[in-house]
Amino acid sequence: MKFTVQNVSKLRPRIGTLSNFGERKNGTLETPMLLLHSQGGQIPHITHEVFKLISKDAHILQIPLTSMHNFQETLEQYNGTITDFIGSKESLSCITFHDPSNITRQGHHAKNKVPLWTKNGIVYYDAPMYCKVLESYKPDMYFFISDGDTNKGSQQKRIQKAVDTTIHFYKDCLEGHKKSAILKNSFAMASIAGGYCLKSREKCMDVMLKDSEIGGYVIDGLHNNGPEIEFIPFDEVKSVAEFVMSKIPENKLMCVQGCWNPVNIVKFIQLGVDLFDTSYCRIVTERSSALTFSVDLQGELEEYEINLREHKYADDFQPIHNTCSCFTCKNYSRGYIHHLLTVQELLGPILIMIHNIHHYLNFFDTIRQCIKENTLNELEFILIKQFKNYEDSRKKNTAEISTFSEG
Ligand SMILES: [Zn+2]
């Protein structure tokens, strides 16, 4: 896989392309783009067949190791690639260590090892073990193992440890990558650790920015994953993101993982970040909500999202969104989905997820269009307004609930 970027100025939004996917897969992908977040190779709530109702384009499936670890022995004996194994031959794959939609438990550190939380408990990985696993997966893209267990509140001692361990992993992973006939054909993304300390980020980058084998970088260690990422204020992460983005060579693919809200996604893109994931669609779907925010620069502002569990949708016969062309909106009403959720029918979250992924992929189409037409600031402006209304009403509801329980 090869990454080419069109405009090469730093700290600016940019269009890039991923191409050269090997013998079996054709086409190119345009960045900024989304990895399709999966668990065990399945997009939460929907099958690969159902996904084809949303998009027939090529995509990269993000497969967290957390969700695959238990199939390790089977995969070692299996000759094909990870996408053959999960029944999605037409997809490209990207292996990550953690699952961005679930909180990664903190602590349980061990020297030059990182804990992986599996269904059967904790398993410690070092770089050689990780590379061996990757060889059996034969991924199109993968993230280097790292110690990303830092967040806004991390102490300097923890940050220091995270950087030292990540540098150790980096050296071992790079050696594993170069030596392996399988991995050296895969697109390697190195993880930059260092929490919110710029000096620590610099220490990490001093080691990592020289090697031509690295296709891109992940800004790791900003959070511990899970739904709370949605409400991290961008001002908290801005200085770290700006610092890292100002140092990285322009020809490298840049990734930030996690359930960031659309406003913060655009703010990262304004700094030149290229790659995100769809874990946000999972957390929105699992609160029974459908994304309805508008990305139409000429149109009216809309409600950011609607919660279809609310009783007011019981006799609402409109689709989730009037102008949406997704399978759900073309065939089902808000009232019917409300009914499915009320009786806990599995089809409810499936229909919402179809809409949410469709809406989110469209959002990224609009982002790329806005970069080309130099209108990303306008898009950011309308997103800020819609997200703020949603955040304000959420804060009001939380305050009302706590007043009620205190009373
Ligand atoms: Zn729809």
Side-chain angles (χ1 to χ4, degrees):
M1 195 183 294
K2 189 179 154 208
F3 177 60
T4 322
V5 65
Q6 282 177 14
N7 37 342
V8 287
S9 52
K10 280 200 177 170
L11 299 175
R12 296 277 306 138
R14 60 203 205 147
I15 295 286
T17 43
L18 283 167
S19 57
N20 292 21
F21 303 143
E23 292 160 15
R24 302 183 317 141
K25 291 154 187 159
N26 299 321
T28 55
L29 293 168
E30 211 169 36
T31 63
M33 65 167 279
L34 288 161
L35 297 171
L36 284 180
H37 165 254
S38 82
Q39 293 180 311
Q42 294 295 319
I43 299 167
H45 306 291
I46 55 176
T47 61
H48 300 304
E49 292 309 311
V50 171
F51 180 74
K52 286 178 191 158
L53 296 172
I54 305 172
S55 169
K56 292 191 168 58
D57 298 337
H59 287 283
I60 306 180
L61 262 185
Q62 171 195 46
I63 307 172
L65 191 62
T66 333
S67 60
M68 287 308 294
H69 175 84
N70 291 357
F71 302 98
Q72 203 40 50
E73 282 178 23
T74 318
L75 270 154
E76 272 169 30
Q77 289 162 37
Y78 184 73
N79 267 333
T81 67
I82 183 80
T83 47
D84 295 338
F85 181 72
I86 60 172
S88 183
K89 285 185 201 305
E90 63 287 351
S91 298
L92 297 154
S93 59
C94 172
I95 305 296
T96 63
F97 198 69
H98 295 298
D99 179 343
S101 70
N102 288 332
I103 296 171
T104 307
R105 281 190 248 182
Q106 296 179 49
H108 298 267
H109 306 112
K111 192 170 166 55
N112 295 331
K113 287 188 172 157
V114 69
L116 185 80
W117 299 94
T118 71
K119 278 186 184 150
N120 304 334
I122 198 167
V123 179
Y124 284 94
Y125 267 79
D126 60 14
M129 179 174 165
Y130 182 58
C131 289
K132 188 167 170 270
V133 167
L134 289 169
E135 284 196 310
S136 63
Y137 287 18
K138 304 173 192 69
D140 298 287
M141 178 188 276
Y142 71 97
F143 290 9
F144 277 14
I145 196 171
S146 66
D147 179 345
D149 184 7
T150 50
N151 53 47
K152 184 71 185 158
S154 295
Q155 303 288 317
Q156 194 54 35
K157 203 173 153 191
R158 170 83 282 270
I159 295 173
Q160 197 51 53
K161 197 106 188 117
V163 169
D164 292 344
T165 309
T166 300
I167 290 174
H168 181 94
F169 284 150
Y170 174 81
K171 290 175 179 167
D172 280 1
C173 281
L174 184 63
E175 199 186 315
H177 181 87
K178 286 183 194 168
K179 268 200 228 158
S180 163
I182 294 170
L183 294 184
K184 71 178 168 203
N185 291 323
S186 185
F187 193 91
M189 301 277 290
S191 303
I192 297 166
Y196 287 73
C197 168
L198 303 189
K199 274 212 158 104
S200 304
R201 293 276 173 188
E202 189 160 36
K203 185 179 171 186
C204 223
M205 287 189 282
D206 279 347
V207 179
M208 294 183 185
L209 299 190
K210 298 167 204 132
D211 301 294
S212 61
E213 289 83 357
I214 306 300
Y217 296 89
V218 186
I219 309 179
D220 200 14
L222 292 171
H223 55 69
N224 294 89
N225 296 314
E228 289 302 309
I229 310 315
E230 182 179 11
F231 299 106
I232 294 180
F234 195 75
D235 282 348
E236 245 176 47
V237 296
K238 192 177 173 207
S239 58
V240 179
E242 269 180 358
F243 182 72
V244 173
M245 293 306 295
S246 69
K247 302 273 175 192
I248 300 280
E250 292 89 337
N251 61 345
K252 303 293 178 184
L253 181 71
M254 287 304 299
C255 173
V256 172
Q257 275 204 289
C259 313
W260 301 95
N261 68 59
V263 173
N264 288 354
I265 294 277
V266 171
K267 285 178 184 287
F268 277 121
I269 289 172
Q270 295 274 28
L271 298 177
V273 179
D274 311 291
L275 193 63
F276 302 87
D277 63 75
T278 58
S279 56
Y280 188 61
C281 296
R282 178 191 172 197
I283 65 155
V284 173
T285 301
E286 291 183 2
R287 61 183 178 230
S288 304
S289 287
L291 295 167
T292 47
F293 63 84
S294 167
V295 291
D296 181 355
L297 302 184
Q298 265 75 49
E300 299 278 310
L301 296 186
E302 307 221 20
E303 209 170 338
Y304 175 78
E305 67 174 48
I306 57 171
N307 190 307
L308 290 157
R309 243 178 221 289
E310 286 179 31
H311 187 67
K312 65 178 176 186
Y313 298 113
D315 51 6
D316 186 338
F317 303 115
Q318 302 174 79
I320 291 173
H321 196 278
N322 274 319
T323 60
C324 181
S325 60
C326 84
F327 174 80
T328 301
C329 290
K330 277 190 351 211
N331 294 288
Y332 301 97
S333 68
R334 294 172 174 187
Y336 179 62
I337 301 169
H338 170 82
H339 160 74
L340 293 173
L341 293 171
T342 311
V343 298
Q344 298 191 346
E345 170 56 54
L346 284 176
L347 184 60
I350 294 173
L351 293 180
I352 300 178
M353 191 67 167
I354 290 173
H355 168 82
N356 282 340
I357 295 212
H358 177 95
H359 193 85
Y360 221 58
L361 291 172
N362 265 354
F363 166 48
F364 267 70
D365 284 343
T366 307
I367 289 173
R368 290 187 291 269
Q369 199 57 34
C370 286
I371 296 174
K372 290 170 191 170
E373 290 168 1
N374 205 16
T375 52
L376 196 60
N377 288 342
E378 277 112 297
L379 179 64
E380 184 182 337
F381 182 74
I382 64 165
L383 288 171
I384 288 173
K385 280 196 161 178
Q386 294 173 95
F387 189 73
K388 189 168 183 314
N389 290 342
Y390 160 69
E391 215 179 2
D392 288 348
S393 73
R394 180 182 163 268
K395 276 182 194 153
K396 198 172 143 235
N397 288 343
T398 318
E400 275 169 11
I401 290 165
S402 64
T403 316
F404 180 73
S405 49
E406 278 162 24

